[in-house]
């Protein structure tokens, strides 16, 4: 006892020092058992110190590591058919494969290479997404694919109505004076309103103003859903800094504010759930919203846990995060691209013409078909996502096979269990051979003019053909690609196309000389949150 009493003051600092040294070694010097034959981006001599420097650089300059044009150009390395390691201070190194191995990557079953696991780790979803099952059993992904996407056409009118309401509220209707707005904040308001109009629908949107909801919308719910998990990348990075065994203790502190935001959301959702499950009225049973889709899904699966108010409200919160934050970033990027492009006036004219022609063909109705044919909208959005896709990692998977996996080819290296491996979108999206003048924003890049005699049912009536935004490929990975490509992209595309059409029809954007630079944090990039643009409502558009 006395001995312990004397040794304790010595042992505790030693323990702390050893843990710290181990932590530093793992973060900065360890290759995570990745074969030494695969070079480390940013480390020109392959020695431990330059490797550590590259790891530090990955925090704010992954982009720089990817386009490093000095001694080694790592993007070119990949183009030449060889893998390299992209350091990542927070989530650990990633083996980036050349384009020639994309097919091989996509062919591997989830039991060998698991994409879900990367997402779970990246977001520290067991802690940040409220319930561990949200990340492991992706029910919401199934609900999006099987219900939301199939019923999207039914929501076109609602989304359009909400887009109009949201822009009038966020940007105003002054046709005389220019107005300077913070792009991110106003897009956050617009996307939150339109996403929730579909996901929670009429239970929270009474549309007609009441004493509780003077705007006709539940502003309290909208406020908290726009803020839930807004800074999840920072939160997950903070949690990542701790060893596994400490995370369950640290995470509740890191995520405290988000948990409180979730509770404020749940306060509005749980009464809806109660009414639907205890004494549903005829009207309730016909409701088409996320709560009802989840109840039906749980009934089909005979899964009482998935039917619980706890699980449904947590999944809804996680889903609104996935839906809202990604579309807010994407639409903010688009606004900056448009403001800085001298092609925008021509683009807006074309969009107005296209909208007129398509609506005329559908007797004035905005519907699934007319929207599908408005390909100019797809092109501008696709081009903006090509340049500024916020999840720059493209396709990233974790080796889930216990014995590891051998890369294709006779000299293919062996990657051990747990290694992250994939292809990166950034070097591909900026490859001059694939996209000539790759650094330029060319909103009509994905459009093609069809000769008049070839215009058929499927062609846009303006004679323009184009690639739908939802189409992913090895050279467009803004929504990732393959089995795990974003299931919400059909919904996101509907919203974003309606948003862009609305802006082109109703507003002017004042040109800016230079686009605000996106900021990089680890492998993600996003527009500056405080940057502004100047807009004005077009004359004759205010009813
Ligand atoms: C422009 C908007 C969007 C972008 C750019 C985007 C991008 C992505 C990307 C890149 C991934 C794959 C992440 C990875 O595995 O590495 C993903 C996954 C996912 N997205 Fe989206 N997304 C958008 C909108 C949405 C919307 C509106 C929803 C919901 C309605 C949604 C729901 C999801 C879900 C549930 C997953 C996980 C899929 C899985 O685990 O298999 N996303 N998204």
């Amino acid at each position: 006892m006395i001995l312990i009493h004397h040794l304790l003051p010595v042992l505790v600092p030693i323990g702390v020092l050893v843990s710290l040294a181990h932590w530093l070694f793992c973060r900065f010097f360890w290759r995570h058992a990745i074969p030494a034959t695969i070079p480390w981006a940013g480390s020109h001599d392959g020695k431990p110190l330059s490797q550590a420097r590259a790891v530090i650089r990955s925090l704010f300059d992954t982009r720089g590591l990817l386009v490093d044009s000095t001694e080694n150009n790592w993007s070119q390395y990949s183009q030449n058919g060889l893998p390299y390691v992209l350091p990542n201070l927070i989530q650990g190194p990633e083996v980036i494969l050349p384009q020639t191995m994309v097919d091989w990557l996509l062919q591997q079953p989830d039991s060998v290479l698991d994409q879900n696991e990367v997402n779970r780790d990246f977001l520290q979803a067991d802690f940040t997404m409220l319930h561990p099952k949200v990340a492991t059993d992706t029910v919401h992904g199934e609900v999006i694919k099987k219900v939301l996407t199939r019923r999207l056409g039914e929501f076109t009118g609602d989304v359009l109505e909400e887009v109009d309401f949201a822009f009038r509220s966020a940007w105003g209707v002054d046709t005389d004076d220019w107005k300077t707005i913070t792009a991110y904040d106003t897009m956050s308001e617009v996307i939150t309103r339109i996403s929730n109009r579909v996901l929670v629908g009429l239970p929270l949107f009474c549309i007609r103003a009441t004493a509780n909801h003077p705007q006709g919308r539940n502003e309290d719910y909208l406020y908290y859903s726009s803020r839930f998990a807004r800074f999840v990348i920072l939160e997950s990075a903070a949690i990542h800094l701790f060893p596994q065994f400490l995370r369950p203790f640290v995470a509740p502190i890191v995520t405290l504010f988000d948990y409180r935001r979730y509770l404020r959301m749940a306060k509005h959702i749980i009464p809806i759930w109660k009414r639907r499950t205890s004494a549903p009225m005829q009207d309730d049973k016909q409701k088409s919203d996320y709560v009802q889709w989840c109840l039906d899904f749980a009934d089909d699966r005979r899964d009482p846990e998935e039917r619980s108010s706890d699980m449904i409200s947590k999944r809804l919160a996680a889903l609104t995060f996935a839906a809202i934050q990604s579309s807010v970033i994407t639409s903010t990027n688009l606004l900056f691209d448009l403001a800085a492009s001298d092609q925008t006036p021509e683009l807006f004219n074309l969009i107005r013409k296209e909208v007129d022609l398509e609506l005329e063909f559908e007797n004035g109705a905005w519907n699934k078909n007319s929207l599908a044919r408005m390909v100019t909208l797809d092109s501008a959005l696709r081009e903006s996502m090509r340049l500024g896709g916020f999840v720059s990692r493209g396709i990233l998977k974790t080796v889930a096979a216990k014995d590891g996996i051998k890369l294709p080819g006779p000299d293919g290296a062996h990657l051990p269990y747990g290694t992250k491996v994939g292809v990166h979108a950034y070097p591909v999206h900026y490859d001059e051979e694939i996209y000539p003048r790759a650094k330029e924003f060319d909103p009509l890049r994905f459009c093609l003019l069809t000769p008049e005699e070839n215009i058929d049912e499927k062609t846009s009536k303006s004679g323009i053909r184009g690639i739908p935004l939802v189409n992913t490929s090895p050279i467009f990975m803004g929504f990732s690609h393959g089995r795990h490509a974003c299931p919400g992209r059909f919904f996101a595309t509907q919203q974003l196309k309606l948003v862009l059409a609305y802006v082109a029809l109703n507003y002017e954007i004042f040109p800016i000389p230079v686009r605000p630079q996106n900021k990089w944090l680890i492998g993600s990039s996003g527009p500056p949150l405080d940057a502004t643009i100047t807009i004005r409502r077009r004359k004759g558009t205010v009813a």
Side-chain angles (χ1 to χ4, degrees):
M1 202 57 187
I2 295 172
L3 191 66
I4 291 178
H5 184 76
H6 277 90
L7 284 182
L8 217 54
V10 182
L11 286 179
V12 170
I14 291 179
V16 171
L17 279 177
V18 170
S19 307
L20 190 66
H22 179 255
W23 186 91
L24 287 172
F25 172 77
C26 289
R27 293 272 154 185
F28 296 102
F29 300 103
W30 190 34
R31 285 188 63 97
H32 295 250
I34 296 171
T37 46
I38 307 183
W40 194 276
S43 164
H44 303 308
D45 55 10
K47 298 214 169 114
L49 265 183
S50 75
Q51 174 179 318
R53 269 199 301 273
V55 173
I56 294 170
R57 212 175 141 195
S58 71
L59 189 56
F60 297 116
D61 191 25
T62 296
R63 184 186 158 281
L65 285 170
L66 287 164
V67 293
D68 194 344
S69 58
T70 51
E71 209 168 308
N72 294 309
N73 184 327
W74 298 102
S75 313
Q76 274 176 21
Y77 205 81
S78 179
Q79 277 164 10
N80 291 339
L82 299 165
Y84 65 90
V85 179
L86 183 66
N88 182 320
L89 172 64
I90 304 295
Q91 283 109 30
E94 299 158 6
V95 174
I96 302 300
L97 301 178
Q99 279 285 293
T100 48
M101 291 187 195
V102 174
D103 285 347
W104 173 86
L105 185 72
L106 293 176
Q107 277 157 15
Q108 306 309 311
D110 290 353
S111 54
V112 176
L113 289 180
D114 184 347
Q115 186 156 338
N116 196 26
E117 188 51 38
V118 173
N119 245 337
R120 187 174 161 209
D121 180 60
F122 170 66
L123 296 173
Q124 283 295 294
D126 288 0
F127 308 113
T128 56
M129 291 297 127
L130 304 162
H131 193 295
K133 254 189 107 181
V134 169
T136 48
D137 187 357
T138 51
V139 169
H140 49 280
E142 292 290 298
V143 173
I144 297 171
K145 278 185 208 153
K146 295 196 174 135
V147 193
L148 173 63
T149 305
R150 288 186 191 163
R151 303 182 82 155
L152 266 185
E154 296 169 23
F155 294 109
T156 316
D158 282 1
V159 174
L160 198 64
E161 185 177 86
E162 209 55 33
V163 169
D164 180 53
F165 178 91
F167 271 103
R168 282 169 186 261
S169 159
W171 282 13
V173 289
D174 190 340
T175 54
D176 293 324
D177 294 323
W178 291 93
K179 181 176 176 182
T180 298
I181 48 111
T182 308
Y184 177 84
D185 286 347
T186 54
M187 280 302 106
S188 178
E189 176 178 348
V190 169
I191 300 292
T192 302
R193 287 186 188 282
I194 58 184
S195 300
N196 278 308
R197 178 74 187 263
V198 173
L199 293 175
V200 292
L202 285 177
L204 292 182
F205 286 76
C206 41
I207 306 303
R208 246 173 281 120
T210 64
N212 283 342
H213 308 308
Q215 298 251 55
R217 276 97 181 139
N218 185 330
E219 297 297 327
D220 191 58
Y221 182 82
L222 290 171
Y223 177 83
Y224 288 102
S225 82
S226 77
R227 272 157 181 79
F228 174 73
R230 190 183 257 204
F231 296 112
V232 73
I233 296 193
L234 291 178
E235 289 169 10
S236 83
I239 297 169
H240 257 113
L241 293 178
F242 291 86
Q244 285 287 356
F245 74 95
L246 281 180
R247 290 181 190 175
F249 306 102
V250 175
I253 303 168
V254 174
T255 57
L256 184 66
F257 287 106
D258 266 344
Y259 191 67
R260 291 179 57 180
R261 286 179 196 118
Y262 156 69
L263 290 179
R264 292 296 293 260
M265 292 169 74
K267 191 182 98 182
H268 299 286
I269 295 301
I270 289 173
I272 297 170
W273 177 90
K274 275 196 183 137
R275 217 181 59 198
R276 299 270 173 91
T277 49
S278 52
M281 292 187 272
Q282 198 51 35
D283 186 29
D284 282 335
K285 287 185 191 147
Q286 281 152 16
K287 286 276 181 332
S288 182
D289 57 31
Y290 188 73
V291 173
Q292 194 58 45
W293 303 332
C294 276
L295 286 171
D296 296 344
F297 191 87
D299 286 347
D300 284 353
R301 251 179 45 168
R302 294 184 213 290
D303 185 339
E305 192 186 5
E306 284 300 334
R307 205 175 194 278
S308 68
S309 62
D310 182 59
M311 210 57 220
I312 291 182
S313 54
K314 284 180 173 162
R315 282 200 188 277
L316 176 58
L319 185 63
T320 44
F321 149 72
I324 293 174
Q325 299 308 332
S326 43
S327 293
V328 173
I329 293 173
T330 305
S331 52
T332 306
N333 272 330
L334 175 71
L335 289 181
F336 292 141
D337 289 330
L338 291 172
S341 167
D342 55 9
Q343 292 187 51
T344 299
E346 183 204 339
L347 172 75
F348 277 18
N349 276 334
L350 206 58
I351 291 177
R352 287 174 205 136
K353 190 174 143 206
E354 191 177 54
V355 168
D356 273 356
L357 286 167
E358 295 311 331
L359 292 188
E360 195 184 301
F361 191 72
E362 298 285 333
N363 296 324
W366 283 91
N367 55 31
K368 211 173 151 187
N369 296 337
S370 55
L371 200 59
R373 287 198 306 269
M374 295 177 193
V375 289
T376 310
L377 303 172
D378 290 88
S379 177
L381 281 156
R382 197 176 175 88
E383 174 70 345
S384 181
M385 281 181 70
R386 176 185 75 78
L387 289 166
F390 68 94
V391 188
S392 66
R393 62 178 179 263
I395 310 168
L396 194 63
K397 297 172 184 269
T398 301
V399 178
K402 290 278 176 254
D403 299 336
I405 191 168
K406 186 183 160 305
L407 293 179
D411 304 325
H414 178 266
L415 303 181
Y417 171 78
T419 307
K420 292 193 175 94
V421 55
V423 286
H424 214 285
Y426 188 90
V428 179
H429 287 189
Y430 279 78
D431 186 334
E432 283 286 334
E433 281 178 24
I434 305 173
Y435 298 108
R437 295 169 290 101
K439 287 190 188 133
E440 274 174 40
F441 172 71
D442 174 2
L444 299 176
R445 189 186 288 274
F446 299 101
C447 284
L448 213 70
L449 214 59
T450 317
E452 212 157 300
E453 64 276 15
N454 291 344
I455 296 179
D456 59 24
E457 277 294 289
K458 288 196 170 151
T459 319
S460 159
K461 299 303 151 217
S462 58
I464 303 172
R465 279 183 197 267
I467 306 175
L469 178 60
V470 292
N471 285 17
T472 65
S473 76
I475 57 166
F476 178 74
M477 295 184 278
F479 291 112
S480 188
H481 177 50
R483 258 191 325 280
H484 292 280
C486 172
R489 64 190 188 281
F490 300 88
F491 177 41
T493 296
Q494 182 196 52
Q495 298 189 346
L496 293 170
K497 285 179 73 173
L498 287 172
V499 163
L500 175 56
Y502 190 88
V503 170
L505 291 175
N506 295 293
Y507 288 94
E508 295 165 85
I509 299 181
F510 197 81
I512 51 174
V514 185
R515 188 206 193 277
Q517 281 295 303
N518 280 12
K519 306 243 186 302
W520 281 72
L521 178 67
I522 332 163
S524 308
S525 86
L529 303 191
D530 54 357
T532 57
I533 57 164
T534 301
I535 48 95
R536 183 169 63 185
R537 185 86 182 191
R538 293 178 70 218
K539 291 217 185 304
T541 61
V542 187

